[in-house]
Amino acid sequence: QPKPPLTDPGLTTVGRSGLVAALRAHFVSSLLGDLQVRLDADAYVPQPPEREEALYRIIRESVHNVIKHARATEAEVRLAVNADGVQVMVRDNGIGFASDARTNSGRFRAVHGLALGLGLVSMRERAAEQGGQFHIHSEPGRGTRVEVTLPRSN
């Protein structure tokens, strides 16, 4: 008998309670090590379910990258909706890496030669599927900032 597909409990929470509740639950229940994550969603307005699912996956992957690669002690996740659309920013105080024009085209090299890519490529693709843009900014020793902008949903 086939096994049921594995489901992410966070996606279930997104569907039931919305993106902000799912992120709060994820940050509480995840193995974050010494990382302190601050969520600022005061200016966020709930979005259609498929958009919230995409945002959840992008933010979850971004925080996962902070845990896995950044050696950070703090991360901030900011969600807002304004006249331009949905704005997401994930920033950390980690080791950073040398970013350049290739960084935002999908080819990455971390400070210590670690290849970064598949998670960042999937985040970029999820943003593009929603008609949005994905940018990453980083410098060695100065942390990393991921920014996603999705247009207003009608």
Side-chain angles (χ1 to χ4, degrees):
Q1 190 167 2
K3 292 182 180 178
L6 296 175
T7 58
D8 180 336
L11 292 177
T12 302
T13 306
V14 169
R16 288 186 182 152
S17 305
L19 176 61
V20 174
L23 289 172
R24 285 194 177 116
H26 178 71
F27 297 151
V28 167
S29 68
S30 295
L31 298 173
L32 301 177
D34 293 331
L35 182 68
Q36 296 293 314
V37 179
R38 187 168 63 96
L39 176 62
D40 176 358
D42 292 345
Y44 181 72
V45 177
Q47 299 294 300
E50 66 281 352
R51 179 163 278 202
E52 289 211 334
E53 180 179 321
L55 290 166
Y56 175 81
R57 289 177 185 269
I58 290 167
I59 293 166
R60 184 189 63 193
E61 180 63 30
S62 188
V63 172
H64 174 77
N65 284 345
V66 172
I67 295 165
K68 189 173 178 182
H69 302 290
R71 300 184 200 155
T73 57
E74 297 176 359
E76 176 186 8
V77 176
R78 189 177 305 156
L79 271 169
V81 175
N82 58 31
D84 296 328
V86 180
Q87 309 287 319
V88 174
M89 188 270 304
V90 180
R91 175 175 49 203
D92 69 62
N93 68 346
I95 61 171
F97 59 94
S99 70
D100 57 24
R102 290 172 299 151
T103 306
N104 284 304
S105 71
R107 297 203 171 106
F108 309 93
R109 276 283 184 223
V111 172
H112 301 288
L114 299 171
L116 300 175
L118 189 58
L120 296 174
V121 169
S122 71
M123 288 189 285
R124 177 176 290 104
E125 289 173 353
R126 289 186 198 287
E129 287 168 1
Q130 296 293 318
Q133 297 182 351
F134 172 91
H135 296 283
I136 187 164
H137 311 277
S138 190
E139 289 181 51
R142 300 190 64 127
T144 301
R145 186 176 75 248
V146 170
E147 295 175 341
V148 176
T149 303
L150 303 183
R152 290 184 63 89
S153 59
N154 297 325

